[in-house]
Amino acid sequence: MRNKKLFNSKEIMDSPIVPEWGKAVFSDFSQDMLSEENPFPCILGVEGLKKDLLRFAFVSSPYNYKDIRLCADALKEYMACFRTLGRYTSFVVFFEPEHKKRTMTQYETMFWDTLTFLHRIDGKPWHEEIPKNPNDPLWEFCFEGEPIFVVCNTPVHELRKSRKSSSFIITFQPRWVFEGMTPHTKMGQQVQKTVRNRLEDYDKVEAHPHLGWYGDQENHEWKQYFLRDVNNSFPTECPFKLKRSERDGVKKSLY
């Protein structure tokens, strides 16, 4: 039991191995996601939480090797079972709240460093059908040979409330979750319409211009991973770095 890394929502509050800070941030997360007065925009995540399809891990620091290894092990365990959970599943990693205050830029750096660290200790090769160049519209972060859409939430987001949280949080959504959701399907159109309508009411800033459909020639997935609080500020190059063993065939100028 002491070695347990992955939790469902029903286990967390009574678990003797989930830290008190973890129970507190999970409680905040649940209240935001399940609010009826102020519906959370990500309807897939909300349904996943209601149906107990989400899985969670609690990590002290993304900059400690032992902690990032724990995060990688939990993500690996999740990737081995996500298809058995249900279509609305996601994996959410909570990091311990810090006493010192960070800027948006610092959290953004922390996020991309975390993805890079996870990639470096990933034991499986990059998905063979997913481009390694983040400028390709079919690029997506990969782990355990699976493409994954990633979202970051931080305590410093204020205007973009849909990305605000009481601690640093990273959510991993397997691309499998989005199969059948395209701009040309009824399901995709309905999901997009509902999410955009909720974003308009939830956030204090207009929907980010980089939100788009996977595979669209004008879309780049990495630009949606970490959204700043304003719409006129964003990185010009993807901060994610491939490990050397995966760089063959990718333009050296990216690294």
Side-chain angles (χ1 to χ4, degrees), residues 58-222:
F58 302 87
V59 179
S60 294
S61 170
Y63 287 128
N64 179 287
Y65 182 77
K66 182 178 179 181
D67 291 331
I68 203 65
R69 170 59 70 179
L70 185 155
C71 181
D73 289 346
L75 180 54
K76 181 178 179 179
E77 185 177 334
Y78 171 75
M79 297 311 296
C81 70
F82 72 86
R83 284 184 174 84
T84 68
L85 298 176
R87 187 62 71 174
Y88 298 141
T89 184
S90 294
F91 172 58
V92 183
V93 181
F94 297 102
F95 292 88
E96 185 173 6
E98 299 177 300
H99 295 297
K100 64 178 180 180
K101 292 186 177 180
R102 292 185 182 269
T103 64
M104 182 75 68
T105 299
Q106 288 173 325
Y107 274 115
E108 188 170 16
T109 298
M110 183 188 295
F111 167 71
W112 287 110
D113 283 349
T114 302
L115 285 196
T116 297
F117 293 158
L118 288 172
H119 172 60
R120 287 177 180 173
I121 58 179
D122 183 7
K124 290 190 176 181
W126 197 260
H127 191 292
E128 61 181 9
E129 296 181 2
I130 300 298
K132 297 176 183 178
N133 187 336
N135 292 322
D136 192 300
L138 293 178
W139 182 90
E140 194 81 275
F141 175 72
C142 293
F143 191 86
E144 281 289 296
E146 294 282 355
I148 310 169
F149 182 71
V150 189
V151 171
C152 183
N153 292 65
T154 80
V156 296
H157 280 84
E158 295 294 341
L159 298 177
R160 200 174 304 282
K161 290 177 60 183
S162 56
R163 294 294 178 106
K164 184 174 179 60
S165 54
S166 57
S167 74
F168 180 56
I169 298 176
I170 301 180
T171 300
F172 299 85
Q173 292 179 289
R175 177 125 299 277
W176 170 81
V177 170
F178 303 101
E179 288 183 2
M181 297 182 195
T182 74
H184 309 296
T185 65
K186 185 176 181 179
M187 178 186 295
Q189 293 167 3
Q190 184 60 49
V191 168
Q192 183 188 55
K193 181 180 179 180
T194 302
V195 170
R196 290 299 178 95
N197 287 342
R198 288 191 179 188
L199 278 174
E200 186 174 344
D201 293 332
Y202 200 86
D203 286 347
K204 298 178 181 178
V205 62
E206 292 183 358
H208 200 281
H210 287 155
L211 294 179
W213 289 99
Y214 177 72
D216 189 303
Q217 289 301 308
E218 301 300 320
N219 181 66
H220 297 94
E221 290 289 279
W222 68 269

